[in-house]
Amino acid sequence: MLAELLQGTDTGGFLVIQDSCSCSGRTLLKSLINAALNREETVHVLCFDVSEEELKDGLKTSVTQRLHIHNAYIDPLGWSDHPAFTVHQFNLVELTHLVKQTSHTKPATLVIDSLSWILRHVSSPAVCKTLQQLKKGGAVRAIIGLLHADMHQRGTVGSVCHLANSVITVAPGTKGDEATAKLTKRSKSGKVLQDEEIFSINEDLTVTVQSKPSNPEHKQSDTIEQQVDPTANLTFNLRLSDTERKAKEKLALPFVFSKEKKTALLHSGPGSGRILYEPDANDDYDQEDPDDDLDV
Amino acid sequence: MAAPMNSVGKLLAERSPFNSTSFQKKTRSKLISIPGTRPSVQNGQLLVSTGVTSLDYLLGGGLAVGTVLLIEEDRYDSYSRMILKYFLAEGVVCRHELFVAAAQDNPDDILQELPAPILDDVVIPKPMEQPRLSCDPQDSLDAMKIAWRYQNLPKVQSALASSSRFGHYYDVSKTMDPEIRQAAKCHCFYLPEHSPPSSTTHSPMLESYSALLKSLQEVIHREGFDLTTPMSKSRNILRVGLHSLGSALWGDDLSCHDNPRHRHTLTTFLYGLRALLRSSLSVAVVTVPSHLIQDRALMGSITRLCDNAIALESFNGSERETNTLYKDYHGLLHVHQVPHLNCLASQLPDHKDLAFKLKRKQFSIESLGFSCSLIPAEG
C-alpha cells in the first residue's frame, strides 16, 4: 500500500505522516515530495520545522522550478517587519492566494512541514476547519502533512487524523536503516484498509518496501467458492432434450382457453355480476380485541 | 368460477391505487395516528423505528418521539454513519420530514447515500398504470400464460403494509431512488454555509451550536411540529439527524484537548435540544466522536443528557480483529443508557455482550456467544 500512496494521493486527499522522536518521518516526506515532482506536479511546501536548505537537500535540483518553498522557518510568528510566511497565514484565503500566485495549469500539492508547529500556535478547531476547507476547495489537489504525534494530546492527533484520508505512522524498525510503517487508508465509500510494511529510503529518495513484518499474517484470503452446478452428478436426469422441450411447450394446460374466450372473460361488459360491499357496524369485529363490542 | 374472479378483479381495478381492500380498523384511542409510528407496549409512548429492527428491539420497541438517541461513533465513523443513514431512510419511507445537520460533509451528500429500501414493502408514489383495456389483446394475452386472469389487475405493491408496518429493511449495496427521496421533505444545515453572526451576548454555547438550535427551532415552528400550536392539519414527525457533534469542525475543542475550554457548550446544546424535542413531535439521532474525547466525566454527562445512548466499537484496525470469538462480527455494541420515560424503571436489555454485523440487507445485532438474533420469533 505504501507504493500506491507514493504514486499519488487522489484529488482532494489529505495524507498525514505521524512520527515521533524515535523515528523521524521527514525522509518519507521528502520522498513523497520527490515522487510528486517526478509526476510533473507543482508542489508548495510550508516549511516551519527545518531550514530551506535542509529541506532541499537531496531533492533533484533540475525540477526546482515546480517546487515552491515558503520559508516560515526564519520568522514564523511575524516578529520582524517583513516575514516570509507566518503561522497566522494558515487559513483558506491566504493559502489559496499563495497557491494561485505561482500555480501552473494543474492544481498544486500542498506539503506542510509540520502541522505540529501550526497546532501549537493556532487553535486545533481552526486548523481542522482550514484543512477541511482546503480539502473541499479546488485550489489544492492534495495535502500532505507531517505530524509529530508525541507533541500533542491524543485528542488533537485524533482529530487531525480523523480528517485524513490516509495516515502513515512510522516507527523504528529492527534493522538500522529500516522503519515500519502502519498505513490506514479510508476510501470514499467508507471502506478502511490497513497495512503494515517495512521500508527503507535510498539515497535518491526512492522508497524500497522490504516486506511485511515478521508477525504471521492474520488475515485469511477469501476463498472463491466454485459455482456448484446442482444438476451435475445426479442419478436421475434433470435436463431436457430438444424433442422433450418441444413436447413440453405443446402441452395444453388446463384452464387455458382459446383467445376469444380469454378476451371475453377479461374485458367483460358491465352486465356481469359485481360485489357491492358496505361495511356494517356489526362487521367491525376484530378478532384480536375481545372487548371491541364493549361500549367503554 | 370464472365470473366471480373476474368481477373482483374489476372491482380492484376501479379502486384507488393505494387501497386494495375496504377494511379499516376501528380505532377508539385518542392517540394521534401518524404513519410510521406505533404506541409502545410498555408505557404507551409513541414510538418510531430507527430503521434498524434489531436496534428497535434493544431500545424497547423503537425510539420514543421527543427523545434523543446518542450514538458514540466508531473509530472511522463507518457504522455510526450507516445507522444515521438508516434512520433518515426510514424517515423517507414513512413519509416523515427530515432535518440533517453536518459540519464535515454536505447534508445533501449524506442524503444521496441513503440505502435503498427493499421494494416489496414500500409503496412507491408513482402514477399508476391504467389497466390495459384497449390495448392489443394479442400482446396482453401472451404476456401471462398461466396466470392470465390477473392480466388486467394493476400492480399493487402491498399498499396496506406500508402504513401499518413498523421498521423496514434496506439494501446497503444500492442507494435510494432519487424519486423516493425527493418525495420526502428535507431541511439541511451545513455549517460552512452559515456565517457566524458576531455574538455580542456571552452565551455558554458556541455560535455553531446556537445557530443549529435556532435553525431547528425555526423549522419546528414553521412546519407545525410544535405541540403547543393547535392541531390544524394532519401531524407528521420530524426526524433530526446531527452528524459528529463535538468534533473539531463544529468549532468545539472537546475532542482536541484533555481540558477543553468549551467544557459546557455541547452539554448546553444537548439540554436545549432535548427541551425542544420534548415539546414537539420530533426525534433526534446525534453522533459524537467519543473516541476522541478524553475527559470521561464529560462524556458521562453527555450520555446522561441524552435519553438513549449506544456506543459502537468496530474491529476495523484494532487488535481484536484477529480474535476468533469476533470473527463473524464487525464490531461490538454497548448500550450505555436506556430511557425511563414517565415510569420508574426502565427496560434493560437482557444480554449485555452485544455484537453487530452489517450484512447487505440487514444490520444485525446479536448476543455474543449465541449466534441467534435478538428479535424473538414472531408468532
Side-chain angles (χ1 to χ4, degrees):
Chain A
M1 209 197 288
L2 188 59
E4 288 158 20
L5 285 174
L6 279 166
Q7 270 155 27
T9 48
D10 328 79
T11 327
F14 176 34
L15 172 72
V16 168
I17 302 175
Q18 258 191 45
D19 67 351
S20 58
C21 50
S22 48
C23 180
S24 170
R26 188 157 291 108
T27 26
L28 186 60
L29 185 73
K30 286 212 273 197
S31 58
L32 280 168
I33 298 176
N34 204 27
L37 286 171
N38 287 343
R39 278 195 309 270
E40 317 271 320
E41 284 172 17
T42 319
V43 179
H44 288 258
V45 184
L46 302 180
C47 188
F48 287 94
D49 262 8
V50 293
S51 65
E52 198 172 325
E53 293 78 31
E54 195 180 327
L55 195 69
K56 269 201 203 156
D57 178 37
L59 293 173
K60 279 192 277 200
T61 47
S62 56
V63 292
T64 44
Q65 74 266 28
R66 267 184 276 116
L67 175 68
H68 306 277
I69 300 190
H70 303 282
N71 199 333
Y73 178 70
I74 302 174
D75 187 15
L77 294 174
W79 288 342
S80 68
D81 287 331
H82 304 285
F85 188 83
T86 65
V87 97
H88 305 292
Q89 280 177 282
F90 188 75
N91 50 53
L92 181 69
V93 173
E94 300 256 6
L95 283 173
T96 322
H97 179 66
L98 197 75
V99 169
K100 284 219 155 51
Q101 265 180 342
T102 49
S103 77
H104 301 249
T105 47
K106 285 196 287 189
T109 306
L110 181 69
V111 175
I112 307 171
D113 177 17
S114 63
L115 278 168
S116 295
W117 232 102
I118 305 175
L119 281 168
R120 292 211 71 76
H121 293 280
V122 182
S123 71
S124 322
V127 173
C128 290
K129 191 170 155 195
T130 310
L131 287 168
Q132 178 73 5
Q133 284 169 335
L134 282 171
K135 259 176 78 175
K136 294 272 179 174
V140 170
R141 187 182 157 272
I143 311 167
I144 305 174
L146 182 64
L147 185 66
H148 305 304
D150 44 2
M151 272 176 74
H152 305 282
Q153 293 171 349
R154 280 176 56 190
T156 316
V157 173
S159 299
V160 173
C161 293
H162 197 65
L163 291 174
N165 295 89
S166 332
V167 178
I168 306 177
T169 309
V170 288
T174 45
K175 294 192 205 144
D177 56 349
E178 281 176 359
T180 39
K182 277 208 189 107
L183 306 126
T184 310
K185 186 170 170 190
R186 286 161 86 169
S187 63
K188 288 210 166 61
S189 60
K191 214 170 153 201
V192 177
L193 298 164
Q194 305 233 325
D195 208 356
E196 198 172 323
E197 287 171 359
I198 300 179
F199 70 99
S200 64
I201 302 188
N202 311 326
E203 289 286 329
D204 60 349
L205 291 179
T206 51
V207 173
T208 327
V209 177
Q210 306 284 4
S211 62
K212 308 277 176 176
S214 56
N215 310 1
E217 282 281 340
H218 294 292
K219 286 177 237 168
Q220 293 165 1
S221 55
D222 296 305
T223 52
I224 304 163
E225 285 178 21
Q226 299 284 340
Q227 278 285 31
V228 176
D229 184 16
T231 55
N233 299 334
L234 290 170
T235 52
F236 45 88
N237 183 21
L238 276 181
R239 285 177 244 256
L240 289 173
S241 70
D242 282 335
T243 44
E244 285 169 346
R245 191 172 294 124
K246 280 191 200 127
K248 176 189 161 189
E249 276 160 21
K250 266 196 243 160
L251 183 65
L253 296 168
F255 297 106
V256 167
F257 304 118
S258 64
K259 288 217 171 66
E260 294 78 24
K261 194 162 180 192
K262 271 190 196 174
T263 43
L265 286 170
L266 280 174
H267 310 313
S268 65
S272 60
R274 292 173 64 182
I275 298 174
L276 297 164
Y277 173 67
E278 266 132 32
D280 202 1
N282 295 333
D283 288 327
D284 267 329
Y285 182 58
D286 188 359
Q287 293 281 354
E288 292 159 20
D289 188 2
D291 298 326
D292 204 41
D293 53 339
L294 290 178
D295 204 11
V296 176
Chain B
M1 188 167 152
M5 282 290 283
N6 181 37
S7 54
V8 166
K10 189 137 189 271
L11 197 65
L12 282 172
E14 281 172 332
R15 287 191 187 278
S16 79
F18 299 149
N19 247 343
S20 56
T21 72
S22 64
F23 172 71
Q24 272 156 10
K25 187 167 176 169
K26 184 156 88 173
T27 48
R28 283 179 292 112
S29 60
K30 294 229 169 32
L31 280 175
I32 25 184
S33 67
I34 304 171
T37 66
R38 72 165 181 204
S40 160
V41 293
Q42 285 149 18
N43 49 19
Q45 294 281 332
L46 197 63
L47 298 178
V48 294
S49 169
T50 53
V52 180
T53 33
S54 31
L55 189 59
D56 284 341
Y57 176 73
L58 265 185
L59 297 174
L63 205 51
V65 171
T67 59
V68 181
L69 168 65
L70 173 76
I71 302 179
E72 295 185 28
E73 290 176 10
D74 51 305
R75 186 165 290 277
Y76 300 108
D77 192 23
S78 20
Y79 299 107
S80 43
R81 204 184 159 101
M82 199 65 234
I83 297 186
L84 187 67
K85 286 194 271 185
Y86 272 122
F87 178 70
L88 296 171
E90 183 70 25
V92 172
V93 164
C94 296
R95 323 253 195 95
H96 297 160
E97 284 193 27
L98 305 178
F99 181 97
V100 190
Q104 187 169 2
D105 302 305
N106 201 325
D108 289 323
D109 294 339
I110 301 179
L111 288 169
Q112 304 264 351
E113 293 169 11
L114 295 183
I118 295 185
L119 274 176
D120 46 35
D121 297 327
V122 176
V123 168
I124 307 167
K126 260 192 247 178
M128 282 308 299
E129 296 164 10
Q130 292 302 315
R132 294 180 289 176
L133 290 170
S134 54
C135 70
D136 185 15
Q138 176 92 16
D139 292 348
S140 68
L141 289 173
D142 282 349
M144 287 200 221
K145 204 170 162 194
I146 298 177
W148 54 271
R149 289 181 206 282
Y150 298 99
Q151 203 58 53
N152 283 344
L153 292 184
K155 287 189 176 56
V156 177
Q157 284 168 328
S158 37
L160 201 60
S162 77
S163 57
S164 60
R165 189 180 167 136
F166 189 78
H168 297 86
Y169 290 97
Y170 299 90
D171 187 346
V172 296
S173 57
K174 298 185 229 165
T175 53
M176 197 184 259
D177 222 1
E179 293 168 0
I180 310 179
R181 194 181 54 239
Q182 272 145 26
K185 206 165 165 191
C186 309
H187 306 273
C188 296
F189 181 96
Y190 184 38
L191 186 68
E193 286 170 10
H194 280 253
S195 57
S198 56
S199 61
T200 47
T201 58
H202 173 70
S203 146
M205 258 196 280
L206 284 177
E207 286 104 31
S208 49
Y209 293 146
S210 319
L212 174 58
L213 205 56
K214 275 203 187 67
S215 169
L216 184 58
Q217 189 176 29
E218 198 230 337
V219 165
I220 287 179
H221 197 72
R222 191 181 64 213
E223 305 287 332
F225 295 106
D226 217 345
L227 283 171
T228 53
T229 59
M231 210 196 291
S232 51
K233 47 182 178 141
S234 61
R235 296 286 202 167
N236 204 351
I237 303 273
L238 178 69
R239 286 188 183 229
V240 179
L242 306 176
H243 180 250
S244 222
L245 286 184
S247 72
L249 290 170
W250 283 95
D252 203 350
D253 65 347
L254 205 66
S255 49
C256 299
H257 299 143
D258 288 350
N259 282 324
R261 212 158 26 107
H262 308 131
R263 268 190 90 84
H264 297 295
T265 48
L266 184 57
T267 44
T268 317
F269 170 78
L270 286 172
Y271 196 65
L273 175 71
R274 214 167 59 146
L276 202 59
L277 293 180
R278 287 285 200 267
S279 60
S280 63
L281 281 173
S282 5
V283 63
V285 166
V286 173
T287 68
V288 166
S290 68
H291 55 98
L292 297 173
I293 297 177
Q294 306 298 320
D295 191 343
R296 300 323 298 172
L298 198 51
M299 200 57 228
S301 47
I302 292 173
T303 311
R304 292 284 170 280
L305 279 169
C306 300
D307 303 290
N308 307 273
I310 62 171
L312 296 173
E313 185 189 327
S314 93
F315 294 146
N316 223 335
S318 78
E319 58 276 1
R320 296 200 205 200
E321 201 167 9
T322 53
N323 195 331
T324 47
L325 185 61
Y326 299 140
K327 68 173 162 56
D328 292 326
Y329 303 106
H330 287 143
L332 296 178
L333 188 138
H334 308 280
V335 176
H336 286 312
Q337 183 158 268
V338 281
H340 28 256
L341 303 162
N342 308 333
C343 58
L344 287 171
S346 46
Q347 183 83 3
L348 291 170
D350 298 328
H351 313 275
K352 299 289 188 311
D353 298 318
L354 299 164
F356 65 86
K357 185 174 171 74
L358 178 63
K359 295 189 263 204
R360 205 185 106 193
K361 293 199 177 174
Q362 198 190 1
F363 184 95
S364 68
I365 302 174
E366 290 167 15
S367 173
L368 258 185
F370 308 100
S371 49
C372 59
S373 172
L374 277 184
I375 306 172
E378 272 142 26

